[in-house]
Amino acid sequence: PTSSGDLRAHADPSLVEAAAVELDPRSLQVIAYASTSTAYVLGHREERELIARLADRWDLPVCSTPASAVDALRHLGAERLAVVHPPWFGEDRNVLGAAYFRDQGFSVSSALADVTTDPARVEPDEVVEWVTENVPAQVDAVFLGGNGFRAARAIGPLEQRLDRSVLESNQVLLWSVNESLGTPLHVRGFGRLLEP
């Protein structure tokens, strides 16, 4: 789904529950809800309600992308945030993303990265160059938002250039999953968040 209405419809609890029923809960330790833009459309309160319902229903930890980003930002002590989205998010989703973080107390600047519009062709170097040239100097952290935004390999080089924490949708979701399981994850090259 691409429209806000379609994203909201696909996050309907009955549809999410129907998808979760396809999983075998005996083989699961955690559920990860990987849709940055859906959470933006829902807003942080409704997103947290959705994951709480799933957690109660399945008696498992449930993590979602933007909520994981907020938890990671707070863990790192960041208050001033630059949010960078892929161009296919469009200005409406970019505005919703900024509001999502502002509503939770962060000072936010947000932008659509001027990179290729084909998700499969996004290269880390392209992301590194654009972010380095366009992110305000006064931010504490950068969030590369969008689970389909192939930017994980840009995290390490960006942290070296910017000397501040860089978070990315899939990275924060992985961090949150491991935190909820109590299994620390130490991975080099994918940001301070995952390093010992």
Side-chain angles (χ1 to χ4, degrees):
T2 55
S3 74
S4 293
D6 287 347
L7 286 165
R8 179 173 281 288
H10 278 76
D12 181 271
S14 64
L15 291 177
V16 174
E17 181 68 24
V21 164
E22 297 297 318
L23 305 171
D24 179 2
R26 296 167 299 179
S27 66
L28 303 176
Q29 292 179 291
V30 65
I31 295 174
Y33 189 84
S35 181
T36 306
S37 55
T38 299
Y40 288 171
V41 169
L42 294 176
H44 69 94
R45 288 179 187 87
E46 199 171 333
E47 174 199 22
R48 296 269 186 187
E49 289 170 9
L50 174 67
I51 61 177
R53 278 193 304 271
L54 283 171
D56 287 346
R57 166 66 172 91
W58 296 103
D59 195 28
L60 291 169
V62 177
C63 305
S64 63
T65 304
S68 297
V70 167
D71 294 343
L73 289 162
R74 291 187 174 140
H75 172 78
L76 295 169
E79 296 176 0
R80 296 167 299 173
L81 177 63
V83 179
V84 178
H85 294 117
W88 56 86
F89 264 42
E91 193 53 41
D92 63 330
R93 204 79 33 84
N94 184 51
V95 169
L96 287 173
Y100 177 95
F101 290 101
R102 261 189 216 108
D103 288 349
Q104 295 179 84
F106 295 94
S107 171
V108 179
S109 66
S110 67
L112 296 169
D114 186 14
V115 297
T116 182
T117 58
D118 181 350
R121 294 181 175 255
V122 173
E123 293 293 332
D125 291 344
E126 182 181 24
V127 176
V128 169
E129 291 306 317
W130 191 90
V131 171
T132 300
E133 293 172 10
N134 292 280
V135 164
Q138 67 273 18
V139 299
D140 302 322
V142 177
F143 176 61
L144 306 172
N147 292 93
F149 190 16
R150 297 172 53 164
R153 294 202 179 274
I155 298 169
L158 278 170
E159 286 191 343
Q160 288 177 352
R161 284 198 191 186
L162 301 174
D163 191 28
R164 61 188 48 95
S165 296
V166 177
L167 306 177
E168 184 265 351
S169 285
N170 297 305
Q171 172 222 39
V172 297
L173 193 55
L174 177 62
W175 173 81
S176 184
V177 163
N178 282 281
E179 288 289 306
S180 71
L181 295 174
T183 55
L185 182 67
H186 302 294
V187 180
R188 296 208 181 275
F190 290 93
R192 297 170 184 170
L193 183 66
L194 299 181
E195 291 181 359

